[in-house]
Amino acid sequence: MSPGGSRAALPCLPFPSFTSSFFHLEMGETSRAAAPGLSSSPSPPPPSPRSARSLSPPLGKGTRDITGHIKAFYNATWFQRYGQGLGPAPLTLLYALTVSIFALGGLGGSLLVGVLVERYGRNGALSRSALLVLLAGGFMGFSREVASPEMVIIGRSITGIHSGICLSVVPLYLGEIAPKNLRGFLGLMPSIFICLGVFSAQVLGLPELLGKDRFWPLFLSVVVVPASLQLLLLHCFPESPRYLLIERNDVCGATKALQRFLGSPEVQDVIEEMQEEQRSLSSMEMASVWQLLRERSLRWQTLSVAVLNAGMQLSGIDAIWFYTNTIFENAGIPVSQIPYTTMGTGAIEVVAGLIGCFTIERVGRRPLIITGFCAMGVCSAGITISLLLQAALPWMRYVSVACVVGIIAGFCMGPAGVPFLMTAELFMQSHRPAAYIVGGSLNWLCNFTVGFIFPFLQMSAGAFCYLVFCGVCLLVALYVYLIIPETKNKTFMEISHIFATRRSVLSVPAQLIGMRKLDGYGTLESSSLEGSGSSLP
């Protein structure tokens, strides 16, 4: 079995994911709360950026008010410097840069993962990453005092780098310290705390709390609180035993870490399993991204990671927020109550994430991710139909609300967390960091692409734009059904063996082998593959 245990693993992991997701929403990311306000233009600028309340565009309440306050600050600062305010187009461009720089920072952070985890370890990389948030929080918290929009943008980019690092290293660390019977449960914990981070930002962004003009710098700098907790708590937990033994050949350190994680001195069987993996990798060095992409024996695993991570962002989960406020308003919800309704969708994310977390070890990875993508595909089509028909059929507006809830719930139950978990499970120790670089880079790149392209797609295709996301979701679900095996309760060596035997099977005519379903889900059964080994050339 793999090392680790839930007792020690659970407390140390919430804060990296919580910090990343809280900041991802609190600025009003392109695809969520900020998007509806990007086209709004402020009033003429006042003489001081500290008195910009009157400039806030009519963006509604909650996090959208934060968007208006920041745009007003940009406009007032520009007026103070150059004697004239920003026009609608330059202001939108400057704010779009502020929003998108987070995703670009995340892409940069994901590219640093391999170097950081190899040099500092999993725990060490997370500890050093937390320092970036403290720096970013200082930039954003004092930006209004020094009248510098550049400090907000710099803070955004630094926090994006932190998020790119954490969203790869956290599931990597969890996957290596968790026993195989809890690997799925712990692997989905980051997605739970991402949902909690989003929900917390929605609550704090209400006008009754930090959603007022004078509080927005404090609102942006609140990320230093979970980052500080992360920095303190990570020192209470040991380094990944797999990293210590397989990569550092530190048997003594790995044994102590295992004993601490498992709470038992009897860890010899786990040490032997890791040493077996170490011997199988004795002739290999840690693979680079280029080596991973060129490795033919890992092409199915690499392709699967690419499909899952790209599909997560191209599924339309972010783009759905472009229409959310309009959908809620058309359903008869008063404009003043929409922020609280949106907060309710955040609560739905948390509940759906918990359902996935507590059922993954019972039903497996494949059913969760297939069901999630299928539900998202069907609901995306439902939104298109409801938007087209709601003028003729008023009750269709309620169907659109139900479809929004269905997309959010379907995403959080499986596609939100399983791709990160399976990235750890599909690769051995030597190729795992490179796999996270590939998956994380694709994830952030697709996130940026959707945020940048969707407004133009929506303008050209209207309600039909959601059919694109419907097609992506159904294609990803089909790929998982046909290609990716179930990894529940399997060691990393066993998972690697399943792919190795599949490659041998796929190299001979189908009539020479027995094609059977794995656990009834439509992929090759490992036992049948082993049994057919004698017939292979």
Side-chain angles (χ1 to χ4, degrees), residues 158-280:
I158 294 174
T159 312
I161 294 172
H162 162 79
S163 300
I165 294 170
C166 285
L167 289 180
S168 291
V169 180
V170 169
L172 172 63
Y173 185 34
L174 276 175
E176 291 185 352
I177 69 175
K180 65 181 182 181
N181 62 313
L182 288 177
R183 200 166 58 222
F185 175 80
L186 293 180
L188 287 191
M189 289 306 295
S191 66
I192 298 296
F193 284 95
I194 287 174
C195 295
L196 284 173
V198 169
F199 180 69
S200 299
Q202 290 171 333
V203 173
L204 291 177
L206 292 174
E208 293 85 354
L209 298 175
L210 299 181
K212 297 179 180 178
D213 177 60
R214 66 179 183 272
F215 291 139
W216 70 258
L218 175 62
F219 181 66
L220 296 186
S221 60
V222 164
V223 289
V224 303
V225 176
S228 300
L229 290 174
Q230 171 189 340
L231 194 60
L232 292 173
L233 291 176
L234 280 171
H235 288 288
C236 301
F237 300 93
E239 183 54 78
S240 163
R242 284 186 170 273
Y243 168 78
L244 293 173
L245 193 149
I246 298 176
E247 296 187 34
R248 294 300 182 189
N249 201 28
D250 184 1
V251 179
C252 180
T255 302
K256 291 180 180 179
L258 274 173
Q259 290 172 342
R260 195 167 169 193
F261 274 123
L262 296 176
S264 170
E266 302 299 326
V267 296
Q268 190 57 37
D269 57 335
V270 185
I271 292 291
E272 291 175 355
E273 185 258 313
M274 289 192 294
Q275 287 176 329
E276 178 185 356
E277 182 177 345
Q278 184 187 37
R279 286 190 294 270
S280 70

Side-chain angles (χ1 to χ4, degrees), residues 20-309:
S20 306
S21 58
F22 181 90
F23 186 78
H24 197 39
L25 181 66
E26 67 176 6
M27 261 298 296
E29 56 176 301
T30 302
S31 53
R32 291 200 175 196
L38 286 178
S39 61
S40 300
S41 57
S43 308
S48 169
R50 289 188 177 87
S51 58
R53 176 188 296 269
S54 62
L55 286 182
S56 301
L59 297 174
K61 299 291 183 182
T63 310
R64 289 196 296 168
D65 269 349
I66 300 295
T67 300
H69 300 325
I70 294 172
K71 284 177 138 185
F73 165 66
Y74 285 2
N75 203 18
T77 303
W78 195 271
F79 181 87
Q80 187 182 47
R81 290 180 182 178
Y82 304 109
Q84 61 181 5
L86 286 165
L91 180 60
T92 299
L93 180 62
L94 183 60
Y95 189 78
L97 173 64
T98 308
V99 170
S100 61
I101 201 71
F102 180 85
L104 294 179
L107 175 61
S110 65
L111 294 175
L112 297 173
V113 167
V115 174
L116 292 176
V117 298
E118 185 176 354
R119 177 173 299 181
Y120 302 114
R122 284 60 169 149
N123 189 302
L126 290 174
S127 297
R128 286 162 175 80
S129 176
L131 298 175
L132 295 175
V133 182
L134 303 182
L135 178 63
F139 272 107
M140 294 181 292
F142 291 101
S143 59
R144 186 166 62 178
E145 295 301 316
V146 298
S148 175
E150 296 85 356
M151 291 178 65
V152 179
I153 297 173
I154 293 172
R156 280 279 290 176
S157 63
I158 294 174
T159 312
I161 294 172
H162 162 79
S163 300
I165 294 170
C166 285
L167 289 180
S168 291
V169 180
V170 169
L172 172 63
Y173 185 34
L174 276 175
E176 291 185 352
I177 69 175
K180 65 181 182 181
N181 62 313
L182 288 177
R183 200 166 58 222
F185 175 80
L186 293 180
L188 287 191
M189 289 306 295
S191 66
I192 298 296
F193 284 95
I194 287 174
C195 295
L196 284 173
V198 169
F199 180 69
S200 299
Q202 290 171 333
V203 173
L204 291 177
L206 292 174
E208 293 85 354
L209 298 175
L210 299 181
K212 297 179 180 178
D213 177 60
R214 66 179 183 272
F215 291 139
W216 70 258
L218 175 62
F219 181 66
L220 296 186
S221 60
V222 164
V223 289
V224 303
V225 176
S228 300
L229 290 174
Q230 171 189 340
L231 194 60
L232 292 173
L233 291 176
L234 280 171
H235 288 288
C236 301
F237 300 93
E239 183 54 78
S240 163
R242 284 186 170 273
Y243 168 78
L244 293 173
L245 193 149
I246 298 176
E247 296 187 34
R248 294 300 182 189
N249 201 28
D250 184 1
V251 179
C252 180
T255 302
K256 291 180 180 179
L258 274 173
Q259 290 172 342
R260 195 167 169 193
F261 274 123
L262 296 176
S264 170
E266 302 299 326
V267 296
Q268 190 57 37
D269 57 335
V270 185
I271 292 291
E272 291 175 355
E273 185 258 313
M274 289 192 294
Q275 287 176 329
E276 178 185 356
E277 182 177 345
Q278 184 187 37
R279 286 190 294 270
S280 70
L281 301 173
S282 58
S283 61
M284 301 183 186
E285 296 181 354
M286 298 302 295
S288 66
V289 173
W290 180 244
Q291 290 170 327
L292 173 65
L293 296 177
R294 294 185 62 187
E295 182 63 58
R296 292 179 59 85
S297 63
L298 296 175
R299 59 186 174 183
W300 282 112
Q301 290 98 312
T302 305
L303 179 60
S304 297
V305 166
V307 169
L308 289 175
N309 281 275

Side-chain angles (χ1 to χ4, degrees), residues 324-470:
T324 297
N325 292 327
T326 301
I327 290 173
F328 288 160
E329 188 174 350
N330 289 341
I333 299 173
V335 174
S336 61
Q337 298 300 314
I338 286 179
Y340 305 96
T341 306
T342 303
M343 191 174 68
T345 63
I348 291 171
E349 290 187 39
V350 176
V351 173
L354 288 172
I355 293 174
C357 191
F358 285 100
T359 58
I360 189 169
E361 295 298 353
R362 182 175 302 231
V363 303
R365 285 74 161 141
R366 284 164 47 84
L368 279 182
I369 200 165
I370 291 172
T371 302
F373 274 116
C374 286
M376 294 179 71
V378 171
C379 290
S380 295
I383 287 183
T384 295
I385 295 172
S386 62
L387 290 176
L388 292 174
L389 298 181
Q390 65 183 13
L393 301 172
W395 55 268
M396 272 291 179
R397 63 188 64 178
Y398 303 107
V399 174
S400 62
V401 172
C403 288
V404 168
V405 174
I407 289 176
I408 294 172
F411 179 77
C412 292
M413 280 195 296
V418 174
F420 294 115
L421 168 64
M422 297 197 78
T423 302
E425 293 183 325
L426 297 183
F427 292 89
M428 300 291 283
Q429 191 81 10
S430 58
H431 292 80
R432 198 170 292 134
Y436 269 104
I437 293 175
V438 172
S441 300
L442 276 173
N443 199 300
W444 286 103
L445 188 60
C446 291
N447 179 284
F448 175 79
T449 301
V450 170
F452 186 78
I453 292 179
F454 180 77
F456 302 99
L457 179 64
Q458 188 270 328
M459 284 189 293
S460 61
F464 292 100
C465 64
Y466 284 98
L467 293 180
V468 176
F469 302 121
C470 171

